[in-house]
Coordinates of all heavy atoms in Angstrom, one line a residue:
M447 N 152.7 77.4 110.1 CA 152.2 78.3 111.1 C 151.2 79.3 110.5 O 150.2 79.6 111.1 CB 153.3 79.0 111.8 CG 152.9 80.0 112.8 SD 154.1 80.8 113.7 CE 154.0 79.9 115.2
L448 N 151.6 79.9 109.3 CA 150.7 80.9 108.7 C 149.4 80.3 108.4 O 148.4 81.0 108.5 CB 151.4 81.5 107.5 CG 152.5 82.4 107.8 CD1 153.2 82.9 106.5 CD2 152.1 83.6 108.6
N449 N 149.4 79.0 107.9 CA 148.1 78.3 107.6 C 147.2 78.2 108.9 O 146.0 78.4 108.8 CB 148.3 77.0 107.0 CG 148.5 77.0 105.5 OD1 148.1 78.0 104.9 ND2 149.1 76.0 105.0
N450 N 147.8 77.9 110.0 CA 147.1 77.9 111.3 C 146.4 79.2 111.6 O 145.3 79.3 112.0 CB 148.0 77.4 112.4 CG 148.5 76.0 112.3 OD1 147.9 75.2 111.6 ND2 149.5 75.7 113.1
I451 N 147.2 80.3 111.4 CA 146.7 81.6 111.7 C 145.6 81.9 110.7 O 144.5 82.4 111.1 CB 147.8 82.7 111.6 CG1 148.9 82.4 112.7 CG2 147.2 84.1 111.7 CD1 150.1 83.2 112.6
K452 N 145.8 81.7 109.4 CA 144.8 82.0 108.4 C 143.5 81.2 108.6 O 142.4 81.7 108.6 CB 145.4 81.7 107.0 CG 144.4 82.0 105.9 CD 145.0 81.7 104.6 CE 144.1 81.9 103.4 NZ 144.6 81.5 102.2
N453 N 143.7 79.9 108.9 CA 142.5 79.1 109.2 C 141.7 79.5 110.4 O 140.5 79.6 110.4 CB 142.9 77.6 109.3 CG 143.4 77.0 108.0 OD1 143.1 77.5 106.9 ND2 144.1 75.9 108.1
A454 N 142.4 79.9 111.4 CA 141.8 80.3 112.7 C 141.1 81.7 112.4 O 140.0 81.9 112.9 CB 142.8 80.5 113.8
A455 N 141.7 82.5 111.6 CA 141.2 83.9 111.3 C 139.9 83.7 110.5 O 138.9 84.4 110.7 CB 142.2 84.7 110.6
Q456 N 140.0 82.8 109.5 CA 138.8 82.6 108.6 C 137.6 82.0 109.4 O 136.5 82.3 109.1 CB 139.2 81.7 107.5 CG 140.0 82.3 106.4 CD 140.5 81.4 105.3 OE1 140.5 80.2 105.5 NE2 140.9 82.0 104.2
A457 N 137.9 81.3 110.5 CA 136.9 80.8 111.3 C 136.5 81.8 112.4 O 135.6 81.5 113.3 CB 137.4 79.5 112.0
A458 N 137.1 83.0 112.4 CA 136.9 84.1 113.3 C 137.1 83.6 114.8 O 136.4 84.0 115.7 CB 135.5 84.7 113.2
D459 N 138.1 82.7 114.9 CA 138.5 82.2 116.2 C 139.7 82.9 116.8 O 140.8 82.5 116.6 CB 138.8 80.7 116.1 CG 138.9 80.0 117.4 OD1 139.2 80.7 118.4 OD2 138.8 78.7 117.4
S460 N 139.4 84.0 117.5 CA 140.5 84.8 118.1 C 141.4 84.1 119.1 O 142.5 84.3 119.2 CB 139.9 86.1 118.8 OG 139.3 86.9 117.8
D461 N 140.8 83.1 119.8 CA 141.6 82.3 120.7 C 142.6 81.5 120.0 O 143.8 81.4 120.4 CB 140.7 81.4 121.5 CG 139.8 82.2 122.5 OD1 140.2 83.3 122.9 OD2 138.7 81.7 122.8
K462 N 142.2 80.8 118.9 CA 143.2 80.1 118.1 C 144.3 81.0 117.5 O 145.4 80.6 117.4 CB 142.5 79.2 117.1 CG 141.9 77.9 117.7 CD 141.4 77.0 116.6 CE 140.8 75.8 117.2 NZ 140.2 74.9 116.1
V463 N 143.8 82.1 117.0 CA 144.8 83.1 116.4 C 145.8 83.5 117.5 O 147.0 83.5 117.3 CB 144.1 84.3 115.9 CG1 145.1 85.4 115.5 CG2 143.2 84.0 114.7
S464 N 145.3 83.7 118.7 CA 146.1 84.1 119.8 C 147.1 83.0 120.1 O 148.3 83.3 120.4 CB 145.3 84.5 121.0 OG 146.1 84.9 122.1
Q465 N 146.7 81.8 120.1 CA 147.6 80.7 120.4 C 148.7 80.5 119.3 O 149.7 80.0 119.6 CB 146.8 79.4 120.5 CG 145.9 79.3 121.8 CD 145.0 78.1 121.8 OE1 145.0 77.3 120.9 NE2 144.1 78.1 122.8
S466 N 148.3 80.9 118.1 CA 149.2 80.7 117.0 C 150.3 81.8 116.8 O 151.2 81.6 116.1 CB 148.4 80.6 115.6 OG 147.5 79.5 115.7
I467 N 150.1 82.9 117.4 CA 151.0 84.0 117.3 C 151.5 84.4 118.6 O 150.8 84.3 119.6 CB 150.5 85.2 116.5 CG1 149.2 85.8 117.2 CG2 150.2 84.8 115.1 CD1 148.7 87.0 116.5
D468 N 152.7 84.9 118.7 CA 153.3 85.5 119.9 C 153.1 87.0 119.8 O 154.0 87.6 119.2 CB 154.7 85.0 120.1 CG 155.4 85.6 121.3 OD1 154.7 86.1 122.2 OD2 156.6 85.5 121.4
D469 N 152.1 87.5 120.3 CA 151.7 88.9 120.1 C 152.9 89.9 120.3 O 153.2 90.7 119.4 CB 150.5 89.3 120.9 CG 149.3 88.6 120.5 OD1 149.2 88.1 119.4 OD2 148.4 88.6 121.3
P470 N 153.5 90.0 121.5 CA 154.5 91.0 121.7 C 155.7 90.9 120.8 O 156.1 91.9 120.3 CB 154.9 90.8 123.2 CG 153.7 90.1 123.8 CD 153.2 89.2 122.7
S471 N 156.2 89.7 120.6 CA 157.4 89.6 119.8 C 157.1 89.8 118.3 O 157.9 90.4 117.6 CB 158.1 88.2 120.0 OG 157.2 87.2 119.5
M472 N 155.9 89.4 117.9 CA 155.5 89.7 116.5 C 155.3 91.2 116.2 O 155.8 91.7 115.2 CB 154.2 88.9 116.1 CG 153.8 89.1 114.7 SD 152.2 88.2 114.3 CE 152.9 86.7 113.8
R473 N 154.6 91.8 117.1 CA 154.5 93.3 117.0 C 155.8 94.0 117.0 O 156.0 94.9 116.1 CB 153.6 93.8 118.1 CG 152.1 93.6 117.9 CD 151.3 94.4 118.9 NE 151.6 94.2 120.3 CZ 151.1 93.3 121.1 NH1 150.2 92.4 120.6 NH2 151.5 93.2 122.3
Q474 N 156.7 93.7 117.9 CA 158.0 94.4 117.9 C 158.8 94.1 116.7 O 159.4 95.0 116.1 CB 158.7 94.0 119.2 CG 160.0 94.9 119.4 CD 159.6 96.4 119.5 OE1 158.7 96.8 120.3 NE2 160.2 97.2 118.7
S475 N 158.8 92.9 116.2 CA 159.6 92.5 115.0 C 159.1 93.3 113.8 O 159.8 93.9 113.0 CB 159.5 91.0 114.8 OG 160.1 90.7 113.6
L476 N 157.7 93.4 113.7 CA 157.1 94.1 112.6 C 157.4 95.6 112.6 O 157.8 96.2 111.6 CB 155.6 93.8 112.6 CG 154.8 94.4 111.4 CD1 155.3 93.9 110.1 CD2 153.3 94.1 111.6
K477 N 157.3 96.1 113.8 CA 157.7 97.6 114.0 C 159.1 97.8 113.6 O 159.4 98.8 112.9 CB 157.5 98.0 115.5 CG 156.0 98.1 115.9 CD 156.1 98.5 117.4 CE 154.8 98.3 118.1 NZ 154.8 98.7 119.5
D478 N 160.0 97.0 114.1 CA 161.4 97.2 113.8 C 161.7 97.1 112.3 O 162.4 98.0 111.7 CB 162.3 96.1 114.5 CG 162.3 96.3 116.0 OD1 161.9 97.4 116.5 OD2 162.7 95.3 116.7
Q479 N 161.1 96.1 111.6 CA 161.3 96.0 110.2 C 160.7 97.2 109.4 O 161.4 97.7 108.5 CB 160.7 94.7 109.7 CG 161.4 93.5 110.2 CD 160.7 92.2 109.7 OE1 160.1 92.2 108.7 NE2 160.7 91.2 110.6
M480 N 159.5 97.6 109.8 CA 158.9 98.7 109.1 C 159.6 100.0 109.3 O 159.7 100.8 108.4 CB 157.4 98.7 109.4 CG 156.6 97.5 108.9 SD 154.9 97.5 109.4 CE 154.2 98.6 108.2
N481 N 160.0 100.2 110.6 CA 160.7 101.5 110.9 C 162.0 101.6 110.1 O 162.3 102.6 109.6 CB 161.0 101.5 112.4 CG 159.8 102.0 113.2 OD1 159.1 102.8 112.8 ND2 159.7 101.4 114.4
T482 N 162.7 100.5 110.0 CA 164.0 100.5 109.3 C 163.7 100.8 107.8 O 164.4 101.6 107.2 CB 164.7 99.1 109.4 OG1 165.0 98.8 110.8 CG2 166.0 99.0 108.6
D483 N 162.7 100.1 107.2 CA 162.4 100.4 105.8 C 162.0 101.8 105.6 O 162.4 102.5 104.6 CB 161.3 99.4 105.3 CG 161.8 98.0 105.2 OD1 163.1 97.8 105.2 OD2 161.0 97.1 105.1
M484 N 161.1 102.3 106.4 CA 160.6 103.7 106.3 C 161.7 104.7 106.5 O 161.7 105.7 105.8 CB 159.4 103.9 107.2 CG 158.2 103.2 106.7 SD 156.7 103.6 107.6 CE 156.3 105.2 106.9
L485 N 162.5 104.5 107.5 CA 163.6 105.5 107.7 C 164.6 105.5 106.5 O 165.0 106.6 106.1 CB 164.4 105.1 108.9 CG 163.8 105.4 110.3 CD1 164.6 104.8 111.4 CD2 163.6 107.0 110.4
Q486 N 164.8 104.4 105.9 CA 165.6 104.4 104.6 C 164.9 105.2 103.5 O 165.6 105.9 102.8 CB 166.0 103.0 104.2 CG 166.9 102.9 103.0 CD 168.3 103.6 103.4 OE1 168.9 103.3 104.4 NE2 168.7 104.4 102.5
D487 N 163.6 104.9 103.4 CA 162.9 105.7 102.4 C 162.9 107.2 102.6 O 163.0 108.0 101.7 CB 161.4 105.2 102.4 CG 161.2 103.9 101.7 OD1 162.1 103.4 101.1 OD2 160.1 103.3 101.9
I488 N 162.8 107.6 103.9 CA 162.8 109.0 104.2 C 164.2 109.6 103.9 O 164.3 110.7 103.3 CB 162.5 109.2 105.7 CG1 161.0 108.9 105.9 CG2 162.8 110.6 106.2 CD1 160.6 108.8 107.4
R489 N 165.3 108.9 104.2 CA 166.6 109.3 103.9 C 166.8 109.5 102.4 O 167.5 110.4 101.9 CB 167.7 108.4 104.4 CG 167.9 108.5 105.9 CD 169.1 107.6 106.3 NE 168.9 107.3 107.7 CZ 168.6 106.1 108.2 NH1 168.4 105.1 107.4 NH2 168.5 106.0 109.5
D490 N 166.2 108.6 101.6 CA 166.4 108.6 100.1 C 165.4 109.6 99.4 O 165.6 109.9 98.2 CB 166.1 107.2 99.5 CG 167.2 106.2 100.0 OD1 168.3 106.7 100.5 OD2 166.9 105.0 99.9
E491 N 164.4 110.1 100.1 CA 163.4 111.0 99.5 C 164.0 112.3 99.1 O 164.6 113.0 99.9 CB 162.3 111.2 100.5 CG 161.1 111.9 99.9 CD 160.5 111.2 98.7 OE1 160.1 110.0 98.8 OE2 160.5 111.8 97.6
Q492 N 163.8 112.7 97.9 CA 164.2 114.0 97.4 C 163.2 115.1 97.6 O 163.5 116.3 97.7 CB 164.5 113.9 95.9 CG 165.6 112.9 95.5 CD 167.0 113.3 96.1 OE1 167.3 114.5 96.0 NE2 167.7 112.4 96.7
D493 N 161.9 114.7 97.6 CA 160.8 115.7 97.8 C 160.6 115.9 99.3 O 160.2 115.0 100.0 CB 159.6 115.2 97.1 CG 158.4 116.1 97.2 OD1 158.4 117.0 98.1 OD2 157.5 116.0 96.4
H494 N 160.9 117.1 99.8 CA 160.8 117.3 101.2 C 159.4 117.2 101.8 O 159.2 116.7 102.9 CB 161.4 118.7 101.6 CG 162.8 118.8 101.3 ND1 163.8 118.1 102.0 CD2 163.5 119.5 100.3 CE1 165.0 118.4 101.5 NE2 164.8 119.2 100.5
F495 N 158.4 117.6 101.0 CA 157.0 117.4 101.4 C 156.6 116.0 101.6 O 156.0 115.6 102.6 CB 156.1 118.1 100.4 CG 154.6 118.1 100.9 CD1 154.2 119.0 101.9 CD2 153.7 117.3 100.3 CE1 152.9 119.0 102.4 CE2 152.4 117.4 100.7 CZ 152.0 118.2 101.7
L496 N 157.1 115.1 100.6 CA 156.8 113.7 100.7 C 157.6 113.1 101.9 O 157.0 112.2 102.6 CB 157.3 113.0 99.4 CG 156.4 111.9 98.9 CD1 155.0 112.5 98.4 CD2 157.1 111.3 97.7
G497 N 158.8 113.6 102.2 CA 159.5 113.1 103.3 C 158.8 113.5 104.6 O 158.8 112.6 105.5
W498 N 158.2 114.7 104.7 CA 157.5 115.0 105.9 C 156.3 114.1 106.1 O 156.0 113.7 107.2 CB 157.0 116.5 105.7 CG 156.3 117.0 106.9 CD1 156.8 117.5 108.1 CD2 154.9 117.0 107.1 NE1 155.8 117.8 108.9 CE2 154.6 117.5 108.3 CE3 153.8 116.6 106.2 CZ2 153.3 117.7 108.8 CZ3 152.5 116.8 106.7 CH2 152.3 117.3 108.0
G499 N 155.6 113.8 105.0 CA 154.5 112.9 105.1 C 154.9 111.5 105.5 O 154.2 110.9 106.3
K500 N 156.0 111.0 105.1 CA 156.5 109.7 105.5 C 156.9 109.8 107.0 O 156.7 108.8 107.7 CB 157.7 109.3 104.7 CG 157.3 108.9 103.3 CD 158.5 108.5 102.4 CE 158.1 108.1 101.0 NZ 159.2 107.7 100.2
M501 N 157.4 110.9 107.5 CA 157.8 111.0 108.9 C 156.5 111.0 109.7 O 156.5 110.4 110.8 CB 158.5 112.4 109.2 CG 159.9 112.4 108.7 SD 161.0 111.4 109.6 CE 161.1 112.4 111.1
L502 N 155.4 111.6 109.2 CA 154.1 111.5 109.9 C 153.6 110.1 110.0 O 153.2 109.6 111.1 CB 153.1 112.4 109.2 CG 151.7 112.5 109.9 CD1 151.8 113.0 111.3 CD2 150.8 113.4 109.0
A503 N 153.7 109.4 108.9 CA 153.3 108.0 108.8 C 154.1 107.2 109.8 O 153.6 106.3 110.5 CB 153.4 107.5 107.4
L504 N 155.4 107.4 109.8 CA 156.3 106.7 110.7 C 155.9 106.9 112.2 O 155.9 105.9 113.0 CB 157.7 107.1 110.5 CG 158.8 106.4 111.3 CD1 158.8 104.9 110.9 CD2 160.2 107.0 111.0
S505 N 155.5 108.1 112.5 CA 155.1 108.4 113.9 C 153.8 107.6 114.3 O 153.6 107.3 115.5 CB 154.9 109.9 114.2 OG 153.8 110.3 113.5
L506 N 153.0 107.3 113.3 CA 151.7 106.6 113.6 C 151.9 105.1 113.5 O 151.0 104.3 114.0 CB 150.6 107.0 112.6 CG 150.2 108.5 112.6 CD1 149.3 108.8 111.4 CD2 149.6 108.8 113.9
L507 N 153.0 104.6 112.9 CA 153.2 103.2 112.7 C 153.1 102.3 113.9 O 152.4 101.3 113.9 CB 154.5 103.0 112.0 CG 154.9 101.6 111.6 CD1 153.9 101.1 110.5 CD2 156.3 101.5 111.1
D508 N 153.8 102.7 115.0 CA 153.8 101.9 116.2 C 152.4 101.7 116.7 O 152.0 100.6 117.1 CB 154.7 102.5 117.3 CG 156.1 102.3 117.0 OD1 156.5 101.6 116.1 OD2 156.9 102.8 117.8
K509 N 151.6 102.8 116.7 CA 150.2 102.7 117.2 C 149.4 101.8 116.4 O 148.6 101.0 116.9 CB 149.6 104.1 117.3 CG 150.3 104.9 118.4 CD 149.8 106.3 118.4 CE 150.5 107.2 119.4 NZ 151.9 107.4 119.2
I510 N 149.5 101.9 115.1 CA 148.7 101.1 114.1 C 149.1 99.6 114.3 O 148.2 98.7 114.4 CB 149.0 101.5 112.7 CG1 148.4 102.9 112.5 CG2 148.4 100.5 111.7 CD1 148.8 103.6 111.1
V511 N 150.4 99.3 114.4 CA 150.8 97.9 114.6 C 150.3 97.4 115.9 O 149.8 96.2 116.0 CB 152.3 97.8 114.5 CG1 152.8 96.4 115.0 CG2 152.8 98.0 113.1
D512 N 150.3 98.2 117.0 CA 149.8 97.7 118.3 C 148.3 97.4 118.2 O 147.9 96.5 118.9 CB 150.0 98.8 119.3 CG 151.5 98.9 119.8 OD1 152.2 97.9 119.6 OD2 151.9 99.9 120.3
V513 N 147.5 98.1 117.4 CA 146.1 97.8 117.3 C 145.8 96.6 116.4 O 145.0 95.7 116.7 CB 145.4 99.1 116.8 CG1 143.9 98.7 116.4 CG2 145.4 100.2 117.8
V514 N 146.5 96.6 115.2 CA 146.2 95.6 114.2 C 146.8 94.2 114.5 O 146.1 93.2 114.4 CB 146.6 96.0 112.8 CG1 146.4 94.9 111.8 CG2 145.8 97.3 112.4
V515 N 148.0 94.2 115.0 CA 148.7 92.9 115.2 C 148.3 92.4 116.7 O 149.2 92.3 117.6 CB 150.2 93.0 115.0 CG1 150.9 91.6 115.2 CG2 150.5 93.6 113.6
R516 N 147.1 92.0 116.8 CA 146.5 91.4 118.0 C 145.6 90.3 117.5 O 145.2 90.4 116.3 CB 145.8 92.4 118.8 CG 146.7 93.5 119.4 CD 146.0 94.2 120.6 NE 147.0 95.1 121.2 CZ 147.7 94.8 122.2 NH1 147.7 93.6 122.7 NH2 148.6 95.7 122.7
P517 N 145.2 89.4 118.3 CA 144.3 88.3 117.8 C 143.1 88.8 117.1 O 142.8 88.4 116.0 CB 144.0 87.5 119.0 CG 145.2 87.7 119.9 CD 145.7 89.1 119.6
K518 N 142.4 89.8 117.7 CA 141.1 90.3 117.0 C 141.5 91.1 115.7 O 140.8 90.9 114.7 CB 140.3 91.1 118.0 CG 139.7 90.2 119.0 CD 138.7 91.0 119.9 CE 138.3 90.1 121.0 NZ 136.9 90.0 121.3
G519 N 142.5 91.9 115.8 CA 142.9 92.6 114.6 C 143.4 91.7 113.5 O 143.0 91.9 112.3
M520 N 144.2 90.7 113.8 CA 144.6 89.7 112.8 C 143.4 88.9 112.2 O 143.4 88.6 111.0 CB 145.7 88.8 113.4 CG 147.0 89.4 113.8 SD 147.8 90.3 112.4 CE 148.4 88.8 111.5
T521 N 142.5 88.6 113.0 CA 141.3 87.9 112.6 C 140.5 88.8 111.6 O 140.1 88.3 110.5 CB 140.3 87.6 113.8 OG1 141.1 86.8 114.7 CG2 139.1 86.9 113.3
M522 N 140.4 90.1 111.8 CA 139.8 91.0 110.9 C 140.5 91.1 109.6 O 140.0 91.2 108.5 CB 139.5 92.3 111.5 CG 138.5 92.3 112.6 SD 138.1 93.8 113.5 CE 139.2 95.0 112.9
V523 N 141.9 91.3 109.7 CA 142.7 91.5 108.5 C 142.7 90.3 107.6 O 142.7 90.4 106.4 CB 144.1 91.9 108.9 CG1 145.1 91.9 107.8 CG2 144.1 93.3 109.6
L524 N 142.9 89.1 108.2 CA 143.0 87.9 107.5 C 141.6 87.4 107.0 O 141.4 86.7 106.1 CB 143.7 86.8 108.2 CG 145.2 87.1 108.6 CD1 145.8 86.0 109.5 CD2 146.0 87.2 107.3

């Protein structure tokens, strides 16, 4: 499956990329995994300033994933 996405992205074929990925479920799964990892990092952070920065990044994460993990965004990234 990843090869299909990569080949379609390299060909700049957003339609094929779209057919190869399930946008809503992929975005939500990625958000859930990244949120879990970042929350754990924030809990473990000893430097409060760094923890604040990670909280800020966490607040932007959903929006970034919504923009990038779409057929055109995946085509650009891959």
Side-chain angles (χ1 to χ4, degrees):
M447 175 176 259
L448 288 177
N449 273 339
N450 292 343
I451 296 170
K452 181 179 177 185
N453 292 338
Q456 287 175 338
D459 188 342
S460 293
D461 292 332
K462 282 188 181 178
V463 172
S464 182
Q465 292 171 2
S466 298
I467 61 175
D468 180 12
D469 293 341
S471 65
M472 180 179 271
R473 282 193 303 272
Q474 190 57 52
S475 175
L476 185 58
K477 287 180 198 179
D478 292 345
Q479 291 174 36
M480 293 177 78
N481 279 324
T482 299
D483 289 346
M484 288 187 75
L485 284 172
Q486 186 59 48
D487 285 348
I488 291 167
R489 283 188 203 107
D490 294 343
E491 186 58 59
Q492 299 295 318
D493 182 337
H494 295 293
F495 186 72
L496 222 65
W498 181 84
K500 289 178 180 182
M501 288 289 288
L502 180 61
L504 184 61
S505 71
L506 299 173
L507 181 68
D508 283 355
K509 291 171 184 64
I510 292 168
V511 169
D512 284 338
V513 171
V514 174
V515 184
R516 295 198 176 267
K518 289 187 188 228
M520 294 299 289
T521 301
M522 291 180 353
V523 170
L524 296 173

